């Protein structure tokens, strides 16, 4: 996990992700779809929070999608069956809208599909 150092009114710095976290997931080929594979949300929810979860890279073939669970949680879903062993690297972005500010969090999902 990497966390951004505090920023002083620097707009460029404030637009960088607050945290980047890496996860390793392993699945066999031909698992049933759709299958929820990853949940993302703030560690502490505050009334009025809203999130926007999106896959910003690694999904060129459309195997995965995101789905909103509620205002403070979303999931990554495997929507198409993967029929052969292969590796995927997804970059998931969560934008947290809280009290008029937006913070960005990045999750890097290393997905290993085995026979």
């Amino acid at each position: 996990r990497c966390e951004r150092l505090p920023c002083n009114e620097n707009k460029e710095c404030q637009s960088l992700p607050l945290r980047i976290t890496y996860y390793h997931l392993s699945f066999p080929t031909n698992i049933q779809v759709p299958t929820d594979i990853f949940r993302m949300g703030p560690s502490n929810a505050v009334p009025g929070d809203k999130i926007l979860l999106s896959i910003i890279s690694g999904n060129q073939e459309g195997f995965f999608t995101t789905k909103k669970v509620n205002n403070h949680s979303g999931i990554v879903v495997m929507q198409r069956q993967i029929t052969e062993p292969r590796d995927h690297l997804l970059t998931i972005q969560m934008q947290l809208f809280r009290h008029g500010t937006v913070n960005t969090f990045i999750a890097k999902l290393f997905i290993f599909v085995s026979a």
Side-chain angles (χ1 to χ4, degrees), residues 43-63:
S43 56
N44 60 335
V46 172
D49 279 357
K50 288 193 175 30
I51 67 157
L52 177 61
L53 192 65
S54 55
I55 300 171
I56 58 173
S57 70
N59 194 33
Q60 292 80 358
E61 296 177 65
F63 287 110

Side-chain angles (χ1 to χ4, degrees), residues 85-104:
R86 60 191 300 180
D87 299 338
H88 296 269
L89 172 57
L90 297 181
T91 302
I92 311 299
Q93 176 179 275
M94 179 185 75
Q95 291 180 298
L96 172 62
F97 300 86
R98 178 180 284 171
H99 304 304
T101 63
V102 180
N103 284 304
T104 302

Side-chain angles (χ1 to χ4, degrees), residues 59-94:
N59 194 33
Q60 292 80 358
E61 296 177 65
F63 287 110
F64 307 94
T65 191
T66 60
K67 190 165 66 172
K68 185 176 180 176
V69 174
N70 51 42
N71 282 339
H72 55 274
S73 183
I75 54 175
V76 176
V77 178
M78 184 182 299
Q79 67 178 357
R80 285 186 41 221
Q81 203 168 58
I82 300 173
T83 58
E84 59 189 35
R86 60 191 300 180
D87 299 338
H88 296 269
L89 172 57
L90 297 181
T91 302
I92 311 299
Q93 176 179 275
M94 179 185 75

Side-chain angles (χ1 to χ4, degrees), residues 5 11-12 26 30 45 58 66 72 84 94 112:
L5 296 173
K11 294 266 187 204
E12 187 177 312
S26 296
N30 296 319
T66 60
H72 55 274
E84 59 189 35
M94 179 185 75
F112 305 101

